[in-house]
């Protein structure tokens, strides 16, 4: 919900500052997705879950990740248009090098905001 609202607000206001906050949250969602998949595999191996429920679980988290990817695309497009650049892949590569974008700062904030419990 947060990433959708963030992307929508950035789009509506054409706000580059808000748009730059989207990609770090998308990265956190990617990390959460990988951890949720790993935990599910562990539950399967321990016999605590079924294959059938695994399909539902996988579909849900894959769709959440896909939504986050679309939000990221919106954020990046807003930034690229405002900066008159159109190389999305290059932007994303440079973003993680943190060329004044505060990527790492936002990434760490979001990791703290959205922790997974131990269970």
């Amino acid at each position: 919900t947060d990433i959708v609202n963030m992307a929508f607000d950035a789009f509506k206001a054409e706000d580059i500052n808000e748009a730059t906050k989207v990609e770090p949250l998308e990265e956190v969602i990617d990390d959460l997705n990988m951890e949720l998949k790993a935990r599910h595999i562990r539950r399967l191996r321990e016999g605590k879950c079924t294959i059938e429920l695994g399909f539902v679980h996988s579909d849900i988290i894959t769709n959440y990740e896909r939504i986050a990817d679309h939000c990221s695309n919106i954020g990046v497009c807003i930034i690229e248009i405002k900066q008159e650049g159109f190389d999305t892949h290059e932007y994303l590569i440079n973003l993680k090098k943190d060329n004044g974008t505060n990527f790492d700062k936002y990434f760490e904030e979001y990791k703290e905001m959205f922790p997974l419990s131990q269970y």
Side-chain angles (χ1 to χ4, degrees):
T1 302
D2 287 347
I3 198 168
V4 169
N5 290 336
M6 193 181 298
F8 180 77
D9 291 345
F11 177 77
K12 186 169 73 174
E14 297 180 13
D15 184 345
I16 290 179
N17 292 325
E18 189 70 11
T20 60
K21 297 176 185 176
V22 176
E23 183 61 24
L25 182 51
E26 192 279 332
E27 287 289 323
V28 169
I29 291 168
D30 284 350
D31 290 351
L32 291 170
N33 188 38
M34 286 189 297
E35 178 61 23
L36 289 170
K37 285 180 182 179
R39 289 180 184 197
H40 176 67
I41 291 169
R42 199 168 33 244
R43 284 191 302 274
L44 280 172
R45 288 183 180 153
E46 294 170 356
K48 295 179 179 177
C49 193
T50 66
I51 299 279
E52 293 80 14
L53 288 175
F55 289 127
V56 173
H57 179 268
S58 179
D59 284 348
I60 290 170
I61 63 175
T62 297
N63 285 323
Y64 279 138
E65 185 176 15
R66 184 174 292 149
I67 291 166
D69 290 340
H70 290 307
C71 290
S72 171
N73 291 340
I74 291 168
V76 170
C77 286
I78 291 165
I79 293 164
E80 288 291 288
I81 288 170
K82 287 288 194 175
Q83 295 177 348
E84 297 183 8
F86 298 100
D87 190 348
T88 301
H89 296 289
E90 183 70 24
Y91 171 78
L92 289 171
I93 290 167
N94 288 329
L95 178 68
K96 292 169 185 137
K97 294 178 185 174
D98 201 39
N99 295 327
T101 62
N102 293 316
F103 179 88
D104 292 334
K105 176 186 144 208
Y106 292 126
F107 181 78
E108 292 303 320
E109 283 179 22
Y110 297 142
K111 273 180 31 179
E112 289 180 24
M113 287 174 63
F114 302 103
L116 287 175
S117 69
Q118 296 297 330
Y119 305 101

